[in-house]
Amino acid sequence: LEQEAEVAKVDRSLRMIAQAGFRWIRQQFPWEDIEIAGKGDYWDHRWNRSAWTKYDDIVELAKKHGLQIIARLDNPPAWSRSVGDAQGWSLGPPDNYEDFGDFVYAVVSRYRGRIRYYQIWNEPNIFPEWGDQPADPAGYVELLKVAYRRAKEADPDCVILCASLAQ
């Protein structure tokens, strides 16, 4: 839904999802789309507006239609890696997992009481989802630990889900 430019179309999609009988959506909250230009910068300089705006809209519209959100947190911005978005690294983990922890804290704090479930990363056992690098189970567990700790600091009642694994 974050790729849809028109709020009315997001509303329509969520209405149809609810009408179909679904009660949950899994919605990506890409780090690179929220803390875009640098650490602590939640401004979308391209469109001159808060980077939170479209996510705030999605959260409110999901609530309007009686849908709960599983928020998927992943996709680090280029500034979080010394190699930036070099070939093979566009989805790679950040150099400093605490930077990701700060992002998790920001998201969970913002949506406390409105989103309860957070999935940390997606399919870290395959190249495309771990920056075209070999799977790093210990690295993912460390990232998950940091994310869990920071999420619970922001909202002790939130539920953290580990990423699904690809077959």
Side-chain angles (χ1 to χ4, degrees):
L1 296 170
E2 81 282 356
Q3 296 177 22
E4 176 54 64
E6 297 178 41
V7 176
K9 288 183 179 178
V10 172
D11 185 42
R12 179 175 179 252
S13 293
L14 290 171
R15 183 181 70 249
M16 292 183 344
I17 289 167
Q19 288 173 342
F22 294 98
R23 296 293 167 242
W24 293 83
I25 62 168
R26 186 177 75 147
Q27 172 60 50
Q28 187 176 20
F29 286 67
W31 183 13
E32 67 184 359
D33 196 40
I34 297 172
E35 196 174 15
I36 304 167
K39 189 162 180 70
D41 186 351
Y42 301 102
W43 191 256
D44 186 335
H45 298 275
R46 180 177 178 198
W47 301 107
N48 197 29
R49 67 178 189 169
S50 170
W52 294 108
T53 300
K54 62 182 155 184
Y55 300 95
D56 292 348
D57 290 341
I58 290 167
V59 170
E60 287 307 309
L61 291 169
K63 180 181 176 184
K64 170 184 166 184
H65 293 291
L67 298 166
Q68 291 198 50
I69 295 173
I70 298 171
R72 180 179 129 189
L73 307 180
D74 58 3
N75 287 30
W79 64 260
S80 71
R81 293 180 298 270
S82 60
V83 296
D85 278 342
Q87 184 174 355
W89 277 97
S90 63
L91 297 178
D95 293 343
N96 181 354
Y97 290 176
E98 291 297 333
D99 287 339
F100 182 65
D102 293 342
F103 168 69
V104 169
Y105 182 88
V107 173
V108 175
S109 294
R110 186 173 191 90
Y111 298 112
R112 182 178 179 162
R114 295 183 285 165
I115 297 177
R116 184 163 184 223
Y117 297 89
Y118 296 88
Q119 176 185 315
I120 305 304
W121 222 262
N122 186 59
E123 300 178 332
N125 63 319
I126 59 173
F127 270 38
E129 297 285 344
W130 198 251
D132 287 349
Q133 307 306 310
D136 181 0
Y140 174 68
V141 168
E142 186 59 34
L143 183 80
L144 182 61
K145 282 174 28 182
V146 169
Y148 179 90
R149 177 177 46 82
R150 295 308 307 281
K152 290 294 189 172
E153 288 173 11
D155 180 1
D157 295 326
C158 74
V159 177
I160 300 302
L161 308 171
C162 70
S164 59
L165 299 178
Q167 54 183 335

